[in-house]
């Protein structure tokens, strides 16, 4: 394990003013996204869409890294440059999603365990050769009547830590993503309680698995009300609860925390990040690793039509820039009105 390389990569991923684009939608998920614009999910459509995002002028000013999917890391720009090489040349670090999805946890109705550990060492070696310098693994924790159970939290924390150890062995920075879903009608207090329990279990397992904290990035949910909650907490309450929860459970040795957007709207996700950063100074850099909250407007504007390519890139550039500002707490809602 090359500790100095891991620490250097991790701090570049969470550098102030920048964040991560999650473009690692699996074949099933990207099909859902394309269904929303009535576009067929062919390999070429998936390739062009990713090219649109990756070749956006100025993206590297606010994007430090991009998470790719297995198919995407092997694809090329129209001009024949492999995506990882293209991104590296712009100063953007290529990364790779390595879990194979959340599957029903036998014996625990309504809960899941993330798979993908078998053969992972060899896959990481290959991804490293293809240019990946960091990886992602997402564990999913749902809140509902009687769930999550301690058992499901522990099982997912254990798998996350085994993944993280394999990554660091291969000099790949692990993004450790335990996502507490915002589906459902639970309160922000319930989200804080569950997120706290999950982070505590995750860091206990990371510690037990001898993870080098300086060479990893945490990707958590924000502490937020369920989408269907009767009284949703205000943006200020989300920021306060999120910071309080992270301070309690995340060691200061971790260089950065890159939030997922998890179904928040684009502006919500940017505003929350900015308010969180206004509560500093904090021991870690707090940034974004958004999928939907960076891509929604761009995807809609593109709609699969080559004529909209540049207009869609502008939408993506705008979101990247505003989220970049949010990493230093300088974003305001007023900025949404200004052109990209
Ligand atoms: P969202 O920001 O759309 O939640 O996606 C981030 C991600 O990578 C989830 O694994």
């Amino acid at each position: 394990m090359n500790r100095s390389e891991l620490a250097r990569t991790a701090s570049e991923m969470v550098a102030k003013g920048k964040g991560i684009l999650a473009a690692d939608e699996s074949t099933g998920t990207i099909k859902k996204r394309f269904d929303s614009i009535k576009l067929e999910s062919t390999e070429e459509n998936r390739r062009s869409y990713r090219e649109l995002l990756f070749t956006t002028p100025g993206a590297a000013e606010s994007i430090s890294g991009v998470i790719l999917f297995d198919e995407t890391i092997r694809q090329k720009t129209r001009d024949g440059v492999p995506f990882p090489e293209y991104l590296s040349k712009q100063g953007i670090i290529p990364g790779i999603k390595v879990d194979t999805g959340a599957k029903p946890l036998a014996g625990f109705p309504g809960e899941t365990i993330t798979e993908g550990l078998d053969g992972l060492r060899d896959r990481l070696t290959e991804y490293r050769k293809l240019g990946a310098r960091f990886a992602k693994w997402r564990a999913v924790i749902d809140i509902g009547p009687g769930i999550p159970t301690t058992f499901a939290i522990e099982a997912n924390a254990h798998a996350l830590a085994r993944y993280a150890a394999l990554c660091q062995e291969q000099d790949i920075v692990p993004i450790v993503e335990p996502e507490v879903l915002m589906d459902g009608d639970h309160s922000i207090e319930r989200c804080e309680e569950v997120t706290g329990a999950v982070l505590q279990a995750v860091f206990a397992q990371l510690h037990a698995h001898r993870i080098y904290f300086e060479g990893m990035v945490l990707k958590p949910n924000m502490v937020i009300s369920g989408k269907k909650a009767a009284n949703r907490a205000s943006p200020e309450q989300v920021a306060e609860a999120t910071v309080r929860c992270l301070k309690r459970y995340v060691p200061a040795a971790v260089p950065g925390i890159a939030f997922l957007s998890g179904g928040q709207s684009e502006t919500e996700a940017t505003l929350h990040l900015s308010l969180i950063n206004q509560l500093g100074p904090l021991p870690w850099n707090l940034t974004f690793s958004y999928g939907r909250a960076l891509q929604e407007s761009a995807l809609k504007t593109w709609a699969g039509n080559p004529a909209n390519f540049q207009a869609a890139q502008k939408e993506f550039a705008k979101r990247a820039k505003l989220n970049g500002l949010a990493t230093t707490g300088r974003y305001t809602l007023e900025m949404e009105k200004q052109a990209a």
Side-chain angles (χ1 to χ4, degrees), residues 112-261:
T112 60
I113 179 73
T114 300
E115 295 188 347
L117 287 170
D118 287 353
L120 182 55
R121 178 179 278 120
D122 294 339
R123 288 167 58 222
L124 287 168
T125 314
E126 192 202 1
Y127 287 140
R128 170 98 204 181
K129 285 196 192 115
L130 290 169
R133 287 168 55 205
F134 70 88
K136 181 190 105 170
W137 177 290
R138 173 174 176 257
V140 183
I141 305 292
D142 204 357
I143 298 181
I147 62 167
T149 60
T150 305
F151 184 86
I153 293 175
E154 288 294 336
N156 277 289
H158 190 265
L160 269 170
R162 279 192 61 200
Y163 140 82
L166 283 163
C167 286
Q168 291 195 332
E169 181 195 80
Q170 302 299 321
D171 298 328
I172 289 179
V173 172
I175 293 186
V176 172
E177 180 180 8
E179 175 172 7
V180 177
L181 297 177
M182 66 184 290
D183 301 343
D185 61 1
H186 54 269
S187 64
I188 187 170
E189 288 81 12
R190 177 78 177 127
C191 178
E192 183 169 355
E193 177 187 36
V194 172
T195 304
V198 168
L199 291 176
Q200 185 177 29
V202 166
F203 279 98
Q205 285 297 335
L206 292 172
H207 187 76
H209 283 75
R210 303 182 174 174
I211 298 309
Y212 174 56
F213 287 164
E214 290 82 347
M216 65 162 276
V217 170
L218 177 71
K219 175 164 173 167
N221 52 284
M222 292 179 189
V223 174
I224 193 167
S225 320
K227 262 190 175 167
K228 295 182 204 140
N231 294 306
R232 300 201 65 209
S234 70
E236 289 74 16
Q237 287 170 320
V238 169
E240 269 170 38
T242 301
V243 168
R244 179 171 56 228
C245 190
L246 294 172
K247 275 186 179 166
R248 284 185 181 156
Y249 299 105
V250 184
V254 173
I257 297 175
F259 295 102
L260 58 96
S261 61

Side-chain angles (χ1 to χ4, degrees), residues 66-70 73 94-98 124 127 132 134-136:
V66 174
I67 318 175
L68 304 164
F69 181 60
D70 180 78
I73 200 171
I96 180 78
K97 168 211 199 66
V98 299
L124 287 168
Y127 287 140
F134 70 88
K136 181 190 105 170

